[in-house]
Amino acid sequence: MKISKAVFPVGGLGKRFFPITRAIPKEMLGIIDKPLIHYAFEEAVDAGIEEFIFVTRHGKYSIEDYFDFMSAHAKYFNIKMGSVCYVRQNEPLGLGHAVLCAKNLIGSEPFAVISADDYILGESCVGEMITHYDGSNMVAAMNVARSEVSKYGILDVERETDRLVIAKSVDEKPSVGTAKSTYGIVGRYILSHKIFDVLSDLAPGVGGEIQLTDALLKMIPICGLTGFKFAGKRFDCGSKEGLLSAILHVASGDDKLNCVVENFYKDRK
Ligand code: UTP
């Protein structure tokens, strides 16, 4: 099925990176020389997305400046920009609320959602998901450490195949004791437009936020929920540890930078 639109929610506060995120959006933090949002955008382009919708907020203007620059230099970046537009999230009321803000730009077709703070290296995760999309709400899923389940939406598994996890339920940030599996949702989604009706009626959930996971749960009887086991390597760049790991990983694989990483460890011995 053709999916042509992607929503990039970039309205979060990025509290785990205070104070830098008081002035610089989390999505503009860099892995060496490119901001996280650049990699997310490239992933969407590689997946065949043609319309890019950023849900932005006060203080996030540098993202717009960055994509103005990319549009002007699309040839240099060797990237097909498609149509880029912005919609405001007036208050950071949660990921579900950010997605709802894009409602008027989506229409009645399924669409992708991409969180730039989940950096996924390798084959385009969204591209793989589109290839396997079957009409149910689809989320990227990976096995996480049991001690970490309270950081994720966790799937309750009905059955699974090689690449797919069919969920009978989903729980946002459960405790270690109550988690039904270790399949955690990471920030890639292919959603039915019907999710907007559910989101507009949704009460705040965990952390007082409008949770996308709660809408996915409500929609299981309508269209199901499928976790997709993606092939790429994912870094949680919403955390300091994850961003640092991503930078080290990229630097280690770079011909000019790998010696810096090696020398750093040598000097410490
Ligand atoms: P997070 O859950 O990581 O929240 O958002 P956050 O505010 O960005 O970061 P912390 O937890 O305070 O450190 C996941 C994605 O959803 C977006 C974020 O920008 C990020 O891309 N988001 C979150 C919104 O667009 N709006 C919101 O109200 C909340």
Side-chain angles (χ1 to χ4, degrees), residues 7-70:
V7 174
F8 297 82
V10 295
L13 292 172
K15 283 192 210 137
R16 284 167 287 170
F17 280 99
F18 277 176
I20 191 170
T21 43
R22 290 284 190 193
I24 296 171
K26 174 172 72 174
E27 299 78 11
M28 287 302 290
L29 296 179
I31 297 183
I32 318 286
D33 57 356
K34 287 189 202 139
L36 289 168
I37 194 71
H38 182 119
Y39 294 100
F41 189 87
E42 276 184 340
E43 182 185 323
V45 171
D46 289 347
I49 298 291
E50 291 159 358
E51 289 185 49
F52 308 85
I53 300 161
F54 293 86
V55 181
T56 177
R57 197 177 59 78
H58 169 82
K60 301 269 183 165
Y61 61 86
S62 58
I63 295 175
E64 297 177 42
D65 289 350
Y66 189 78
F67 283 98
D68 284 353
F69 172 76
M70 269 185 82

Side-chain angles (χ1 to χ4, degrees), residues 100 103 193-202:
L100 180 59
K103 178 179 174 180
H193 70 282
K194 292 182 187 147
I195 201 156
F196 294 122
D197 291 339
V198 178
L199 284 169
S200 35
D201 276 346
L202 208 58

Side-chain angles (χ1 to χ4, degrees), residues 8-18 21 26-27 55-57 60 89 91-99 114-118 172-173 209-211 236 238-239:
F8 297 82
V10 295
L13 292 172
K15 283 192 210 137
R16 284 167 287 170
F17 280 99
F18 277 176
T21 43
K26 174 172 72 174
E27 299 78 11
V55 181
T56 177
R57 197 177 59 78
K60 301 269 183 165
Q89 184 186 24
E91 269 185 283
L93 299 179
L95 177 59
H97 180 257
V99 171
I114 303 181
S115 281
D117 53 359
D118 273 318
E172 181 63 19
K173 300 188 171 65
E209 295 190 343
I210 308 286
Q211 296 287 356
D236 172 13
S239 73

